[in-house]
Amino acid sequence: MKQRHHEIIISDHAWQRWQERSGIEIKRTKLINVLTGKLNGALAVGLVLDHTSAGWLEVTPWLWATVRLTNMGWLVATFTAWEEREAG
């Protein structure tokens, strides 16, 4: 059995929030690769989606992505920082 590829689409709003909140300089394509790995791991253990097919994906211990399953793939709507990032 072959694992299905998951298309990830980062909205312009989410990309702006990533740049504001993460403090990590990364290209958009590299971020998509990181999110693909995180999403595959989350799906393997059972990512919980609400009735709108939206869920939370942990990118770092303090930064989470809001993702929604659409006909085109996984749409990243925004990034939310739950607490301040530790310096260092």
Side-chain angles (χ1 to χ4, degrees):
M1 185 179 288
K2 195 174 189 181
Q3 185 175 8
R4 183 172 179 253
H5 171 73
H6 299 284
E7 184 73 27
I8 295 185
I9 304 132
I10 300 175
S11 71
D12 291 338
H13 172 81
W15 180 244
Q16 288 176 325
R17 294 304 169 261
W18 170 265
Q19 293 172 328
E20 292 171 3
R21 296 177 177 159
S22 74
I24 301 169
E25 290 195 26
I26 192 172
K27 292 183 180 183
R28 204 170 181 146
T29 54
K30 177 67 175 171
L31 180 57
I32 288 172
N33 291 339
V34 169
L35 292 172
T36 299
K38 297 286 185 175
L39 181 62
N40 287 336
L43 292 172
V45 296
L47 178 64
V48 178
L49 302 177
D50 66 13
H51 69 282
T52 65
S53 297
W56 292 98
L57 181 63
E58 183 178 16
V59 182
T60 68
W62 50 269
L63 188 67
W64 291 69
T66 303
V67 297
R68 179 175 309 245
L69 183 58
T70 67
N71 289 337
M72 294 173 42
W74 289 93
L75 173 66
V76 179
T78 193
F79 289 93
T80 303
W82 288 109
E83 57 190 53
E84 287 299 316
R85 175 171 58 115
E86 292 181 19

